[in-house]
Amino acid sequence: MMETTPKKSFITMDMMKGSILGAAKKLNPLYMMKNPVMFVVEIGFLLVLLLTVSPTILGTEAGPHDRLYNAIVAAILFVTILFSNFAESIAEGRGKAQVQTLKKTKTVTQARVLLADGSEVMKEAHELTKGEIVLVYAGEVIPNDGEVVDGIATVDESAITGESAPVVKERGGDFSSVTGGTTVTSDWLKIKITSLPGESFLDKMISLIEGASRKKTPNEIALNTLLVSLTIVFVLVVVTLYPMTVFLKVHIPIATFIALTVCLIPTTIGGLLSAIGIAGMGRVTQFNVIAMSGRAVEACGDVDTLILDKTGTITYGNRMASEFFPVQHVHQKELIRAAWLSSLTDDTPEGKSILSLAQKLSVDASDKETIIQSSEHIPFTAQTRMSGLTMPDGTTVRKGAYDTIKNESLKAGYPLPEDLEKLVHQVSSAGGTPLVVAKNSRILGVIYLKDVVKSGLKERFEQLRAMGIKTIMCTGDNPLTAAAIAKEAGVDGFIAESKPEDKIQVIKEEQALGKIVAMTGDGTNDAPALAQANVGLAMNSGTNAAKEAANMVDLDSNPTKIIEIVEIGKKLLMTRGALTTFSISNDVAKYFAIIPAMLMAAIPEMDVLNIMNLASPTSAILAALLFNAVIIPLLIPVAIKGVNYEPMSASKLLNKNLLIYGLGGMITPFIGIKLIDMILSPILPMIGL
Amino acid sequence: MWQIAIILAIYLPLVILAGHYLFRVTMHQKTFLDPVLDKADRLIYKISGIKQENMTGKQYVLALILSNACMIFVGYVLLRIQSVLFLNPNGIGNMEATLSFNTIISFMTNTNLQHYSGESGLSYLSQMLVITFMMFTSAATGYAACMAFCRRLVAKTDTIGNFFVDFVRVITRVLMPLSVGVALLLVSQGSPQTLSGNQTVETIEGKMQDIALGPVASLESIKHVGTNGGGFNGANSTTPFENPTAISNIIEILSMMLLPGACVVAFSLMAARRKKNTLFGKQGLAIFSAMAALFLIGLTVIYAAEQAGNPIIDSLGINQELGSMEGKEMRFGIPQSVLFTAVTTAFTTGSVNNMHDTLTPVGGLVAMFNMMLNVVFGGKGVGLMNMMMYVLLTIFIACLMIGRTPQFLGKKIEEKEMKLIALCILIHPAIILLFSALAVATAAGSGGITNPGAHGLSQVLYEYASASANNGSGFEGLSDNSYFWNITTGLAMFFGRYLPIIIQLAVASLLAKKMWHSDSTGTLKTDNAMFSFLLAAIVLLIGALTFLPALALGPITEHLQIHR
Amino acid sequence: MMKEWFRNGKQALGVSCIMFVLCGLLYPFAVTGLAQGLFPYKANGSLIKVEEKAVGSEKVGQAFTAPYYFTGRVSAINYNMYTQQDTVADANGEVRYSGVSSGTFNYAPSNPELKKRIEADIEAFLTANPTVKRQDIPADLLTASGSGLDPHISLKAADIQIHRVAKASGLSIEEVNKIVKNNTEPRTLGLFGEDKVNVLKANIDILKKMKEQN
């Protein structure tokens, strides 16, 4: 068994031991019944076992070697079942490692509950109910999922996200939700518990990964139906074959009938099916995405339209200064200096990018520290819509939106520079955001804040197009800017100046066209759209409302991931399809091995059909049966890693997979069975068969 | 070989033409016969109280079953009392109970398995009022079911079409005009059409010869047009009166092929109805091609096998240049015989122009396998429906391979549909194999077997394949007019007909109610050559895997033994 | 539910009745009328008359025993031909002719009975036609037709009998050859079916010729 298991990197020795033990435990018929294909094998095994103990018990004649033959068949059947269980155990085992770390975070036992009268009571964590308020101090673990109602603190979410930098959590807004199992690293938080014990995000995640709460997905059920009906057909084929052979006075041992049955029923896919499902979900979690159901992952494979936010998904969240455009009669140096000044105390990424660009253009930065210390810092607010600083000598330097600065300047009595509007328009139409800079209310020029499209996205979108997936970008920018970015990123469509309601509208329109729509979102505003979309991916950094509405949550809060998840979903379905095709194709060769072999004794002419030239009927049947068993562990890596997927059109993909798994599935067993027969044929005579 | 190619070449334009006409009839579009037939139809609706309202899938099935039940009941009574009714010039007696049961099920299910011999078992009245009548109604039933099925695949609602209207329209507009035309053509070739009794002549050697006459041509035409297959005479279309010349043979072949193929064309037009002036919709063409490929493979094999002849006859030293002629007619020879055999089993008609029991083992295997697949065009209407089950299955497997939830014509195929599809595909082999096993395991069953060894098993397999596929041809050596055979084949025909129809309409109803999804480059193309290939491959694979062991014991063993 | 059954049932019954009349009666009667009007000879069975007396149908084969007649193909039902004593029970209580039928022996290619029958027929044929070599006998002559009523034999099957027929009938080989040629039905349009000889028609011509010569 060890020889047939794949490389060490794929599973560890430890996992291996656990899996073997798990495989044995799963032999319980009550458990096996869940997998009808393998259950039939188990019944076959028990029958042959019975025939080994007492070869004549079913009222059939028995030759001198029948007992040994039966014993060998029984052994192979037993191994077949073990292999299948082993595959499932391995798939589960891979998840277990992840679960171990998660479980470690679930060590909170006590929680400090704030009662209505303001007093504190210590309570067992698992007794906390929805709506209770708990107080958590620095260094303590948050007992359950909740909403911050008071306080501001940094929280270490690395247990779940793997991201070590702490996140600020405060009341209200998009950063108010906390997850049970994460640790408060500074200050304190008052948290209103929002889930029942055992139903927290972490609990869900653990049970999902463990596969305990794994519900079969619709596609898996449909496939299972097909496999069960194929099994019924083949059982019927063999059961009805028996009276026909009796009628024609062809004697065939019962064990051979059972061997034929087992070879024909789709044991390969039947044995690997649950492993594929578990591993598929595992791939999603390894990707740091929590899918609320397998259905959601499968739906990903069907997505026709992706709705993506511009900011954060298509472009880096922060815009970068890329150029300075002085207005007429202003020297570039002057503009750069003013822009630099205006951003000295600006901590936003945009501000920092202006500083670094200015420095790159060798601005005079010698007096930086003095100015910072002596000047008054004017931060950006939604009301003023500008920021900058006022120096001790009363000089004001401001940068801000075009309208704001323009009004300011006009109020101060300056004429509007003639080419200002042209410059602003130029920046906008290039997809950038114009920031106008003024010194003492005199307009000096425009900073070109560029929206930087994430690298590699354009190629990604091209691949998506090849897969038949349309991308639509949503942005609050004006149509001009939006169009420029859309063009640069290579999306198929965009909605400019979009409000959250617009997203729902687009989703509904697309769905009315018969499309399956996926979207990402984080804010509370996005919740209805996330719920409306067929696949909604919420960011873990987002609100609880968004997370609840979505059917997947990305722990890394990286919206671009939706593209990868689409691929994972496809891969999951493809693995099932490929192995099903492989399994059914295998039967052709098995027929050529078994049918002539089982009939040859009574009908010698059948030797013509022994095209593989197998040594003897016994070795032919045993070789086919052994191949049937061995192929299961050989395919475990495929089942668990999933079949290779490169984005391409459906037709090409089908051709490729048909060639590999259909034609390959037909040819492989011819080679495999012949090889096994060559090994068996010298051994069998030695033991008297 | 050339004559086969030419007949098939003539078939193509005919089937497209018929498909367009069928489409117009189904979709209530204008046809040139409307001025007369609209009035006739209205009269029929009025007299029989047909309310022309749309039905749900369930109501449609109910109407179908009830009307078939009515006809079965009346037909059974007629057979049981035929001796005392009029139009019985040859003085035929009443039919025995199990034989009547078998016969009536046989004709109502479009099978036309005949455990009686027409010349001596039926009065002229029964030939007309039971046999001819049921040939029309069973074909119309199958067609109506098929159109209800296709409509639901392309529609967005389950409440569509009325069974009785479909049923009447297909009889008055398709079956009746075609049958009259074909009947007259057959008379022109020498088929009798008379109500006077059999003739006894004195031959030039002074012996007596009975010549069986009767209204042969009128039955012969609907027998083929409606893919029924039950002959006027025991030996069916081998007899000179049912099939007098090579031309009549071609007419019969084309009649059998016309409507099953036209159903596919009509479906193709329904699926492509958004495009105007389509000659042959791509989706239907893909299915048609798969069927045609399977048909041609079978035809080639059977031609080669029959032309090669029987090695045992070779060993006797006589000249077998003409091929295996035992059981075949001189006026047809091998090409016209094998084409007829391939067509009658693929299009599940069941008439024969040569005796299938005497086919070479491989030839018999092809005939049997066509019926075991039951999707190579298949009977009128139901063949397409059966193929659709395989289409859905192929889509299911292919879609999984490209990582998509299976979808056909914009409708997702999910768990519920898959259960029904799997069940439907399961029924046919289950009926054939279980009954065959029962027959060879019991004395009552194996008592009917008349050929020794492997061929005996072939006879049994063929009989049930034919019954379950609603084909009706037989390895006629089987002495099948016994309680056991009458009852078991009766049940096989009954379940083989109605269970699939009910299940298939249920699948269509489920799909009709589903949300529609659009196609893109990411979805599976189901209307190209690749899909045709895959479909044919899956049909062959599933068919081969299911029946190979039994076939290995039957025809394959026989083949190997005579070629020893 | 019951109501729906009843409603549908009523319509079902109605449509069944109409179709009984339309398909079961009107249709065959109409076709009979048309056929009798258009093709009276063929619609009544293409009966051949010799001296105003029907002797058979040109479409249906017959068995011939006299050596001066061509023999047709093997028939499992003896072409529905019989003599008076065939219709009454013999000593074993078996009736040799029980009524009109059609069909064949249905011997599978592997059936030993088939080999036995053909072997016996070969011997009989070679005895009756001593000039014919075994390998020249075309299989169609010794295999049973499907209907048991096949009116035709292949050209070769006619050819190898010409010698015997000529000798027994007293006609010249040329005359017999000519009769065969006159009764040869070639492939339709030179393509469809097979070249074949109508045995009954050829034999009637032989009878006529023999009568002429006497």
Side-chain angles (χ1 to χ4, degrees):
Chain A
M1 209 160 117
M2 303 298 266
E3 303 153 3
T4 58
T5 48
K7 286 170 287 196
K8 282 240 173 63
S9 58
F10 171 66
I11 39 166
T12 62
M13 217 45 211
D14 254 7
M15 273 164 66
M16 188 81 142
K17 275 182 203 153
S19 301
I20 293 170
L21 203 67
K25 276 188 200 153
K26 288 177 187 205
L27 286 172
N28 179 357
L30 288 176
Y31 183 86
M32 292 295 290
M33 255 161 66
K34 286 189 209 157
N35 183 345
V37 181
M38 296 315 290
F39 186 59
V40 169
V41 181
E42 193 167 32
I43 293 175
F45 159 68
L46 292 175
L47 274 177
V48 186
L49 196 64
L50 198 65
L51 287 169
T52 312
V53 179
S54 165
T56 52
I57 196 159
L58 295 180
T60 49
E61 300 162 39
H65 303 300
D66 276 11
R67 189 187 293 262
L68 180 59
Y69 173 68
N70 291 348
I72 295 175
V73 171
I76 302 176
L77 294 185
F78 183 69
V79 171
T80 311
I81 305 166
L82 269 189
F83 280 156
S84 152
N85 291 349
F86 180 66
E88 196 178 297
S89 294
I90 284 191
E92 287 169 352
R94 280 161 68 90
K96 273 189 186 129
Q98 221 174 343
V99 170
Q100 290 307 323
T101 45
L102 285 176
K103 276 190 174 160
K104 272 182 207 147
T105 67
K106 278 197 62 180
T107 48
V108 219
T109 49
Q110 298 268 300
R112 195 177 292 105
V113 181
L114 275 179
L115 298 180
D117 57 6
S119 59
E120 288 176 18
V121 181
M122 294 304 283
K123 209 171 173 183
E124 293 289 318
H126 59 81
E127 285 173 359
L128 283 177
T129 53
K130 251 190 202 170
E132 280 184 300
I133 311 276
V134 294
L135 188 61
V136 187
Y137 288 110
E140 291 178 344
V141 176
I142 298 171
N144 206 337
D145 297 355
E147 200 83 34
V148 176
V149 289
D150 199 7
I152 177 163
T154 51
V155 175
D156 176 7
E157 294 194 322
S158 61
I160 295 173
T161 63
E163 181 69 48
S164 56
V167 196
V168 179
K169 297 285 176 180
E170 58 185 321
R171 183 200 153 94
D174 288 351
F175 297 97
S176 65
S177 78
V178 290
T179 312
T182 54
T183 316
V184 176
T185 48
S186 75
D187 307 289
W188 54 270
L189 289 173
K190 270 188 199 167
I191 298 161
K192 186 178 173 187
I193 300 298
T194 52
S195 40
L196 290 169
E199 286 177 16
S200 74
F201 192 65
L202 198 65
D203 292 317
K204 277 189 208 155
M205 201 163 145
I206 290 172
S207 67
L208 270 171
I209 300 169
E210 275 184 325
S213 72
R214 202 177 77 87
K215 276 207 197 103
K216 281 187 179 157
T217 59
N219 274 318
E220 190 176 355
I221 297 173
L223 178 57
N224 214 31
T225 310
L226 175 67
L227 296 182
V228 169
S229 62
L230 279 177
T231 306
I232 296 174
V233 168
F234 289 129
V235 169
L236 251 176
V237 166
V238 178
V239 168
T240 56
L241 191 62
Y242 178 73
M244 293 181 200
T245 55
V246 171
F247 170 72
L248 293 174
K249 302 185 179 63
V250 176
H251 173 75
I252 298 169
I254 299 284
T256 302
F257 279 111
I258 292 171
L260 177 64
T261 315
V262 171
C263 279
L264 292 183
I265 63 175
T267 47
T268 313
I269 177 68
L272 293 172
L273 191 59
S274 62
I276 295 171
I278 296 169
M281 292 296 285
R283 272 197 298 280
V284 178
T285 40
Q286 273 161 26
F287 218 64
N288 256 348
V289 170
I290 298 298
M292 296 306 165
S293 67
R295 181 188 278 266
V297 179
E298 281 181 356
C300 277
D302 292 337
V303 166
D304 299 300
T305 307
L306 270 183
I307 297 189
L308 302 167
D309 274 326
K310 184 201 77 176
T311 312
T313 307
I314 293 174
T315 61
Y316 291 106
N318 19 36
R319 290 163 289 196
M320 315 268 255
S322 80
E323 243 171 296
F324 298 109
F325 296 113
V327 293
Q328 272 175 330
H329 315 302
V330 174
H331 198 272
Q332 175 135 26
K333 278 258 155 60
E334 196 184 352
L335 171 63
I336 294 174
R337 170 77 181 177
W340 179 75
L341 282 173
S342 73
S343 305
L344 270 181
T345 54
D346 184 351
D347 278 342
T348 63
E350 287 88 353
K352 284 178 185 156
S353 78
I354 294 171
L355 286 186
S356 64
L357 181 66
Q359 268 149 24
K360 218 181 348 180
L361 297 172
S362 54
V363 74
D364 172 20
S366 54
D367 49 355
K368 185 175 170 185
E369 290 309 310
T370 3
I371 295 175
I372 290 176
Q373 268 156 37
S374 60
S375 300
E376 187 194 347
H377 171 215
I378 314 289
F380 179 87
T381 66
Q383 282 76 42
T384 59
R385 294 183 69 205
M386 55 184 176
S387 66
L389 46 73
T390 308
M391 289 198 280
D393 61 353
T395 311
T396 61
V397 189
R398 299 283 186 272
K399 66 170 190 291
Y402 168 56
D403 291 345
T404 328
I405 304 282
K406 184 176 87 179
N407 291 340
E408 190 89 347
S409 180
L410 287 174
K411 230 190 280 171
Y414 289 105
L416 218 51
E418 282 168 27
D419 58 345
L420 178 64
E421 196 156 341
K422 205 187 92 199
L423 287 176
V424 167
H425 185 80
Q426 189 186 326
V427 170
S428 295
S429 57
T433 310
L435 272 189
V436 181
V437 181
K439 190 176 180 183
N440 291 329
S441 299
R442 189 172 74 93
I443 291 173
L444 299 179
V446 178
I447 305 173
Y448 175 10
L449 280 184
K450 194 175 178 184
D451 247 333
V452 184
V453 173
K454 290 184 177 174
S455 57
L457 263 194
K458 194 163 183 159
E459 292 72 39
R460 270 328 238 316
F461 291 145
E462 242 154 55
Q463 288 174 350
L464 287 176
R465 230 186 322 281
M467 288 154 62
I469 298 174
K470 182 170 131 188
T471 41
I472 295 179
M473 179 183 85
C474 279
T475 169
D477 292 341
N478 61 52
L480 214 60
T481 314
I485 301 226
K487 196 169 166 228
E488 192 184 341
V491 293
D492 299 298
F494 65 89
I495 309 150
E497 290 170 352
S498 81
K499 296 180 285 296
E501 308 87 82
D502 294 342
K503 270 193 198 166
I504 300 190
Q505 194 53 40
V506 178
I507 293 173
K508 283 186 176 159
E509 275 166 21
E510 288 286 317
Q511 284 174 337
L513 289 175
K515 311 270 187 201
I516 304 248
V517 184
M519 73 161 282
T520 57
D522 46 13
T524 308
N525 288 340
D526 286 332
L530 282 170
Q532 176 71 37
N534 304 74
V535 176
L537 177 66
M539 300 298 107
N540 190 44
S541 61
T543 60
N544 268 348
K547 281 198 257 180
E548 258 157 42
N551 33 29
M552 273 185 267
V553 177
D554 177 17
L555 300 175
D556 298 340
S557 303
N558 170 8
T560 323
K561 257 191 204 166
I562 187 121
I563 300 172
E564 274 96 357
I565 296 171
V566 167
E567 290 179 5
I568 291 178
K570 281 198 186 294
K571 222 169 165 181
L572 174 59
L573 290 185
M574 271 168 55
T575 308
R576 284 200 201 118
L579 291 186
T580 304
T581 310
F582 187 84
S583 191
I584 298 173
S585 308
N586 272 198
D587 283 0
V588 176
K590 290 179 194 160
Y591 261 142
F592 274 106
I594 296 186
I595 299 268
M598 65 192 275
L599 299 181
M600 226 178 314
I603 308 162
E605 295 86 358
M606 278 289 162
D607 196 38
V608 183
L609 294 182
N610 180 11
I611 53 172
M612 280 180 268
N613 202 13
L614 303 176
S616 72
T618 313
S619 89
I621 291 166
L622 292 181
L625 204 55
L626 261 178
F627 174 83
N628 192 55
V630 165
I631 197 73
I632 295 178
L634 286 181
L635 288 174
I636 288 179
V638 179
I640 289 187
K641 287 185 194 157
V643 300
N644 275 334
Y645 175 67
E646 286 154 30
M648 57 177 95
S649 74
S651 307
K652 275 190 200 156
L653 194 58
L654 181 65
N655 290 356
K656 191 184 128 192
N657 282 342
L658 270 182
L659 206 64
I660 299 176
Y661 296 97
L663 192 64
M666 245 178 237
I667 296 167
T668 315
F670 277 104
I671 301 165
I673 292 173
K674 180 68 191 169
L675 284 178
I676 298 174
D677 176 73
M678 283 159 73
I679 299 167
L680 281 182
S681 54
I683 302 172
L684 288 177
M686 283 190 257
I687 56 172
L689 280 175
Chain B
M1 226 25 201
W2 275 109
Q3 40 182 326
I4 294 178
I6 290 174
I7 295 169
L8 296 181
I10 297 171
Y11 171 63
L12 272 184
L14 282 181
V15 75
I16 292 176
L17 203 69
H20 278 255
Y21 180 67
L22 213 53
F23 171 72
R24 294 183 151 267
V25 171
T26 312
M27 303 310 272
H28 293 252
Q29 292 183 0
K30 266 183 87 153
T31 61
F32 62 98
L33 288 173
D34 280 355
V36 189
L37 291 180
D38 276 348
K39 281 184 203 128
D41 285 354
R42 248 173 277 146
L43 188 69
I44 294 174
Y45 298 153
K46 207 172 151 194
I47 299 175
S48 46
I50 292 172
K51 300 172 185 64
Q52 304 170 53
E53 59 207 2
N54 282 336
M55 292 174 162
T56 63
K58 245 187 210 153
Q59 290 169 327
Y60 203 96
V61 170
L62 181 67
L64 187 154
I65 303 272
L66 280 178
S67 60
N68 276 213
C70 267
M71 296 170 198
I72 287 177
F73 178 75
V74 181
Y76 181 82
V77 172
L78 278 176
L79 289 182
R80 299 284 285 144
I81 58 166
Q82 63 177 357
S83 68
V84 296
L85 298 174
F86 54 99
L87 269 178
N88 188 7
N90 298 327
I92 311 281
N94 293 335
M95 202 180 253
E96 180 267 326
T98 60
L99 183 58
S100 301
F101 162 76
N102 185 281
T103 303
I104 209 73
I105 295 291
S106 169
F107 280 87
M108 193 67 250
T109 57
N110 202 252
T111 311
N112 300 17
L113 197 66
Q114 291 167 297
H115 286 181
Y116 63 90
S117 189
E119 301 93 327
S120 53
L122 289 178
S123 70
Y124 285 177
L125 186 76
S126 297
Q127 290 275 25
M128 299 192 316
L129 217 49
V130 180
I131 304 302
T132 313
F133 159 75
M134 284 207 164
M135 283 182 168
F136 276 101
T137 53
S138 67
T141 302
Y143 174 80
C146 174
M147 285 302 121
F149 178 85
C150 293
R151 262 192 218 123
R152 278 169 178 74
L153 284 189
V154 296
K156 288 173 187 166
T157 165
D158 186 37
T159 310
I160 185 168
N162 178 301
F163 170 75
F164 298 113
V165 172
D166 287 346
F167 180 81
V168 169
R169 280 175 71 91
V170 75
I171 289 179
T172 56
R173 277 150 211 265
V174 183
L175 297 178
M176 193 67 80
L178 262 176
S179 298
V180 172
V182 170
L184 291 179
L185 282 176
L186 289 177
V187 176
S188 81
Q189 292 300 308
S191 274
Q193 178 68 26
T194 167
L195 296 176
S196 50
N198 294 344
Q199 291 267 345
T200 302
V201 298
E202 198 184 333
T203 69
I204 51 175
E205 279 196 331
K207 293 198 181 112
M208 282 181 285
Q209 182 184 30
D210 282 350
I211 297 176
L213 296 168
V216 179
S218 60
L219 179 132
E220 205 58 21
S221 61
I222 182 61
K223 160 178 138 188
H224 289 109
V225 167
T227 67
N228 289 289
F232 196 91
N233 300 318
N236 212 296
S237 279
T238 59
T239 61
F241 277 160
E242 289 200 31
N243 196 355
T245 64
I247 294 296
S248 71
N249 197 50
I250 294 170
I251 293 170
E252 291 181 6
I253 287 173
L254 290 175
S255 304
M256 288 192 254
M257 297 173 81
L258 190 66
L259 292 177
C263 280
V264 185
V265 179
F267 166 71
S268 87
L269 297 173
M270 287 165 81
R273 77 200 136 151
R274 268 151 281 157
K275 288 174 207 136
K276 285 255 172 209
N277 301 324
T278 318
L279 189 65
F280 201 149
K282 278 176 88 183
Q283 180 61 64
L285 186 60
I287 295 170
F288 191 93
S289 311
M291 289 171 159
L294 291 170
F295 173 75
L296 290 176
I297 295 171
L299 179 62
T300 314
V301 173
I302 192 173
Y303 179 79
E306 295 306 311
Q307 189 62 56
N310 179 353
I312 290 185
I313 295 183
D314 272 335
S315 72
L316 293 175
I318 59 173
N319 180 327
Q320 233 188 149
E321 237 170 36
L322 286 170
S324 171
M325 284 301 288
E326 176 77 12
K328 296 195 181 63
E329 299 287 300
M330 196 54 230
R331 60 193 177 284
F332 305 137
I334 296 298
Q336 295 262 346
S337 294
V338 297
L339 180 59
F340 199 104
T341 293
V343 169
T344 195
T345 50
F347 293 73
T348 60
T349 305
S351 62
V352 292
N353 83 344
N354 66 88
M355 284 305 175
H356 288 185
D357 216 352
T358 59
L359 286 170
T360 59
V362 172
L365 185 146
V366 171
M368 214 184 290
F369 198 56
N370 272 340
M371 298 186 296
M372 286 168 168
L373 297 181
N374 202 14
V375 296
V376 188
F377 291 102
K380 191 162 164 7
V382 292
L384 176 61
M385 286 159 78
N386 289 335
M387 189 53 146
M388 280 302 182
M389 294 295 109
Y390 277 95
V391 167
L392 296 177
L393 181 69
T394 306
I395 288 172
F396 182 79
I397 293 175
C399 275
L400 284 185
M401 287 219 281
I402 60 164
R404 269 269 180 182
T405 299
Q407 172 180 328
F408 179 56
L409 296 177
K411 310 283 178 69
K412 299 244 180 260
I413 306 162
E414 287 163 305
E415 180 200 345
K416 250 189 185 170
E417 294 80 53
M418 203 56 218
K419 267 194 188 134
L420 291 175
I421 293 166
L423 184 64
C424 194
I425 292 178
L426 188 75
I427 288 173
H428 186 56
I431 291 175
I432 297 175
L433 293 174
L434 282 175
F435 275 124
S436 296
L438 182 69
V440 295
T442 55
S446 50
I449 297 169
T450 53
N451 274 297
H455 193 83
L457 178 63
S458 303
Q459 284 185 312
V460 174
L461 285 172
Y462 192 101
E463 183 77 359
Y464 288 112
S466 170
S468 179
N470 296 149
N471 178 286
S473 64
F475 271 11
E476 286 299 334
L478 192 71
S479 27
D480 46 18
N481 185 9
S482 68
Y483 284 180
F484 177 88
W485 286 97
N486 284 341
I487 293 170
T488 55
T489 53
L491 293 174
M493 290 186 281
F494 184 80
F495 292 124
R497 171 78 166 184
Y498 292 105
L499 287 183
I501 286 187
I502 294 170
I503 294 172
Q504 285 155 350
L505 280 174
V507 170
S509 284
L510 283 174
L511 290 176
K513 288 183 220 156
K514 289 214 166 183
M515 268 235 325
W516 175 80
H517 294 280
S518 67
D519 287 337
S520 71
T521 45
T523 46
L524 181 75
K525 288 262 168 302
T526 56
D527 57 2
N528 56 13
M530 183 67 201
F531 185 77
S532 300
F533 170 77
L534 195 58
L535 176 60
I538 284 192
V539 168
L540 269 184
L541 191 66
I542 303 255
L545 291 180
T546 315
F547 292 108
L548 197 73
L551 292 175
L553 283 175
I556 296 176
T557 295
E558 190 189 2
H559 173 82
L560 294 173
Q561 281 172 342
I562 63 173
H563 281 86
R564 183 167 9 205
Chain C
M1 191 61 203
M2 249 356 259
K3 219 173 136 194
E4 196 170 305
W5 276 70
F6 185 71
R7 242 168 67 100
N8 274 319
K10 227 168 63 183
Q11 296 180 51
L13 200 64
V15 84
S16 299
C17 291
I18 293 263
M19 289 306 160
F20 258 115
V21 177
L22 188 64
C23 307
L25 293 174
L26 281 183
Y27 163 73
F29 285 140
V31 173
T32 308
L34 282 170
Q36 291 287 343
L38 290 170
F39 311 101
Y41 170 69
K42 285 174 171 166
N44 289 310
S46 315
L47 298 180
I48 305 179
K49 293 191 174 152
V50 174
E51 291 155 6
E52 296 308 303
K53 212 177 83 201
V55 295
S57 163
E58 64 169 286
K59 298 293 176 193
V60 179
Q62 288 182 358
F64 294 91
T65 48
Y68 46 85
Y69 287 139
F70 285 99
T71 52
R73 300 187 61 195
V74 180
S75 166
I77 53 162
N78 198 31
Y79 294 94
N80 287 325
M81 287 168 74
Y82 56 99
T83 56
Q84 208 59 53
Q85 67 251 44
D86 290 339
T87 58
V88 289
D90 64 8
N92 301 327
E94 279 178 25
V95 184
R96 285 186 53 197
Y97 181 75
S98 59
V100 62
S101 69
S102 54
T104 186
F105 296 98
N106 286 311
Y107 288 156
S110 60
N111 195 329
E113 294 294 323
L114 175 69
K115 191 176 173 187
K116 223 189 282 171
R117 189 197 80 208
I118 295 178
E119 253 173 343
D121 285 350
I122 292 175
E123 294 314 320
F125 188 85
L126 289 177
T127 319
N129 302 275
T131 55
V132 176
K133 283 196 229 93
R134 179 184 275 255
Q135 63 267 30
D136 290 336
I137 306 173
D140 66 284
L141 196 58
L142 299 184
T143 47
S145 66
S147 59
L149 300 170
D150 196 343
H152 299 111
I153 53 175
S154 65
L155 294 189
K156 211 165 194 174
D159 275 347
I160 56 168
Q161 296 187 53
I162 286 176
H163 193 83
R164 181 199 78 224
V165 170
K167 203 170 157 199
S169 62
L171 303 179
S172 69
I173 300 256
E174 287 73 39
E175 278 170 321
V176 180
N177 243 328
K178 209 174 146 206
I179 288 172
V180 168
K181 207 165 212 174
N182 287 341
N183 290 293
T184 295
E185 298 168 13
R187 292 169 180 237
T188 314
L189 305 175
L191 189 66
F192 298 111
E194 298 285 342
D195 296 329
K196 60 219 169 280
V197 178
N198 188 313
V199 178
L200 173 61
K201 279 160 86 178
N203 286 345
I204 288 173
D205 284 355
I206 286 171
L207 177 68
K208 283 181 185 159
K209 205 77 178 189
M210 281 165 71
K211 277 188 180 158
E212 266 171 39
Q213 294 200 343
N214 290 341

